[in-house]
Amino acid sequence: MWGLSIADLGIIAGYVILILWLGLRARKGVTSSGDYFLGNRRATKLKMIANAIGAGTHTNQAILVAGATYEIGLAGVWYQWFFLFATPFFWIVAPIYRRLRYVTLGDFFQERYGSGTAIAYTIMGLLFFTLNLGLIMKGTGTAIESITGGQIPTATIVIAVTIFFLLYSLMGGLVSALSVNLLQGVFVVILSFLIIPFALQAGGGMTAIKASLPEHMFSFVAPTEVTFIFIVMVVLNGLVGVVVEPHHMAIGGAGKTEMNCRTGWTYGNFVKRFATLGWAFIGVFAASLFPGLAGADREQAFGLAVARLLPSGLIGLMIAAMVAMVLGACHNFMVGGSALFTRNLYRRFVPFRSDRHELLIGRIAALVIVVGGVTIALTLSSVLQGIKFLWQITAFFGIAFWAGVVWKRANRYGVMASVLLALAAAVVTGPWVLNWPYHLQIATYLPVGFVAMILVSVLTPPEPAEKLRAFYALLHTPVGEEQQLKDKGIPILLEGEGIAATTSESGSGPLEDRGHSLLVVDLLSLPSLFSLRRYRVDVGGFALAIMFVACIIGIGLWAAQLG
């Protein structure tokens, strides 16, 4: 039936029933908008890790990477690995999200730069969520259509999967995401490596597969498309833009402690970086076993490998894994988008009534965002085309985030000049005018954006002193010391159920003096402030994360040399 066996259909049905049960169970924990949008900041380390995996790992990414490596070799892994070098920075950025005690990144732009920049960011964020939902649906539909031999068209898959995740997402918000994503994380690992042993067996082993392909297919730098300079530029672009991907306020800030937030966002994403290697090798093996795909058709490589290599039953498990990735990611995007709309647009024009009313509006907004994503999924021609656009729009606003945390002189005029001029540079150098290679576009609009931010901020009035005092007081007040903020009359948008950090060092006094000061926040004052004791948590965690980066790259290089 529909190109699937009874065993496959049984596994898929069992998965659907289990997820719906978990979603209904999680509904009991949603009594306020704080629950719906951020799980009331009560997530444990394990749930934060699972949520980072679920929200950050999408079927379209596996489709994109496998398709790229099918055509250009292992270098295609950089379409997702460009965040690999940014991942250690998650350790030092996560506590920033948590200490601000904001609900959305729109709140960040509102409180730091004012209403105009908040509205501009919110529009970008809603576009980000809607386009990402479309990309995820598009990638999943393309893969399952290939698996079923075209018997279930992409449009049907998109609509069916949308109805499924809406059944539990609209009820449970981030609470159900945190509950379900641990299961989704297991499925992600299955998705990433299940095909590999079957591909090796079909191809006669690694030696035989290598003999059938050009040598560059096992290099992490390609002669075309993903060259060394391309890798450098997308890594820099990713580091600038990743901090304002609008769902990251929840991914980095929903934990009960700062350590939960650091551990979850950093090491949840390291699981994904490792899993990406599996997608890369699947694409290369498919190039040997099933040659002939070209252009946009390369995005069918993953689905083709599933259909032709996996036995009955495991195909159903793979489809369930794909749907799991849809649920984890789309759920976070839908909830994050509804929070942005409700708090950073709706409240601007409709007087606040009650938390219950805001929760209702959030659920309606989530539904509208999903409809927009489905529309994009049914019309978008290529996953890669959409991914590159997302990289650009986040980088435009990422400049404002980094400047706003590091530099008190950064202001709203600098933000708008930076965003507009970076956008103009991207348009002029892009396919509509000069049609420069993508890495040269990045090399143009990033410097333009940073220079505009600095020059215009210096030449225009600073932000109000009282707003700056409140903003930086939040950043200098670790979780658990909220009473200090209350004593100073500084508002807390969502305190949640956070508890204080613990330190192995004896003594008393502010947590900042005992290892919990933040490097990014104090960056311009580090020459006079720095000591290992003061920044112990940032420095130690960042160094350990760098070691994980080296290990993952080492495993990739080792695997590429086998055979």
Side-chain angles (χ1 to χ4, degrees), residues 119 344-352:
I119 290 173
N344 304 115
L345 275 183
Y346 186 77
R347 278 190 178 184
R348 297 274 177 268
F349 305 104
V350 179
F352 179 71

Side-chain angles (χ1 to χ4, degrees), residues 92-101 401 405 475 518 520-521:
I92 60 179
V93 171
I96 293 175
Y97 295 144
R98 186 61 182 86
R99 288 190 191 184
L100 288 171
R101 288 117 174 146
F401 179 93
V405 172
L475 289 177
L518 304 182
V520 174
V521 176

Side-chain angles (χ1 to χ4, degrees), residues 271-354:
V271 173
K272 174 186 171 181
R273 309 300 175 231
F274 180 66
T276 305
L277 270 176
W279 310 338
F281 277 96
I282 288 168
V284 171
F285 295 160
S288 172
L289 297 170
F290 318 117
L293 300 178
D297 289 342
R298 76 187 195 182
E299 293 180 358
Q300 298 176 16
F302 192 92
L304 193 64
V306 172
R308 297 194 182 181
L309 293 175
L310 293 182
S312 177
L314 289 185
I315 292 177
L317 185 63
M318 181 62 72
I319 291 176
M322 291 179 180
V323 175
M325 294 172 78
V326 171
L327 292 179
C330 289
H331 191 116
N332 277 272
F333 292 158
M334 182 188 70
V335 173
S338 68
L340 263 184
F341 175 82
T342 304
R343 296 184 56 82
N344 304 115
L345 275 183
Y346 186 77
R347 278 190 178 184
R348 297 274 177 268
F349 305 104
V350 179
F352 179 71
R353 298 180 184 178
S354 68

Side-chain angles (χ1 to χ4, degrees), residues 16-17 64 119 147 221 254 266 272 293 299 338 350 433 448 524 532:
V16 169
I17 293 170
L64 172 64
I119 290 173
I147 292 170
V221 179
T266 305
K272 174 186 171 181
L293 300 178
E299 293 180 358
S338 68
V350 179
V433 184
V448 166
L524 299 182
L532 285 176

Side-chain angles (χ1 to χ4, degrees), residues 27-48:
R27 184 184 183 183
K28 299 176 182 178
V30 181
T31 59
S32 69
S33 60
D35 286 329
Y36 188 74
F37 296 143
L38 276 173
N40 209 28
R41 303 195 193 278
R42 54 176 172 256
T44 63
K45 287 180 184 176
L46 184 59
K47 283 189 174 181
M48 290 295 286

Side-chain angles (χ1 to χ4, degrees), residues 342-400:
T342 304
R343 296 184 56 82
N344 304 115
L345 275 183
Y346 186 77
R347 278 190 178 184
R348 297 274 177 268
F349 305 104
V350 179
F352 179 71
R353 298 180 184 178
S354 68
D355 191 77
R356 186 181 183 88
H357 176 77
E358 184 170 299
L359 180 58
L360 174 63
I361 295 301
R363 284 173 165 154
I364 295 172
L367 183 60
V368 173
I369 290 166
V370 170
V371 171
V374 170
T375 303
I376 289 174
L378 298 178
T379 57
L380 194 67
S381 61
S382 167
V383 171
L384 180 58
Q385 172 190 354
I387 289 286
K388 286 184 174 180
F389 178 68
L390 286 176
W391 292 350
Q392 289 181 319
I393 62 173
T394 52
F396 301 155
F397 285 88
I399 294 169

Side-chain angles (χ1 to χ4, degrees), residues 43-50 52 86-99 248-270 475 477-479 501-502 511-512 514-521 533-545:
T44 63
K45 287 180 184 176
L46 184 59
K47 283 189 174 181
M48 290 295 286
I49 289 173
T87 305
F89 288 89
F90 294 178
W91 181 267
I92 60 179
V93 171
I96 293 175
Y97 295 144
R98 186 61 182 86
R99 288 190 191 184
H248 282 164
M249 181 60 78
I251 305 306
K256 184 172 285 191
T257 69
E258 291 182 15
M259 190 61 70
N260 290 2
C261 295
R262 291 179 188 266
T263 304
W265 197 23
T266 305
Y267 290 95
N269 275 282
F270 272 133
L475 289 177
T477 307
V479 171
T502 58
L511 285 168
E512 278 204 310
R514 294 185 288 143
H516 294 273
S517 291
L518 304 182
L519 287 167
V520 174
V521 176
R533 184 178 185 273
R534 184 177 180 85
Y535 298 96
R536 175 176 55 84
V537 179
D538 262 9
V539 172
F542 186 79
L544 182 60

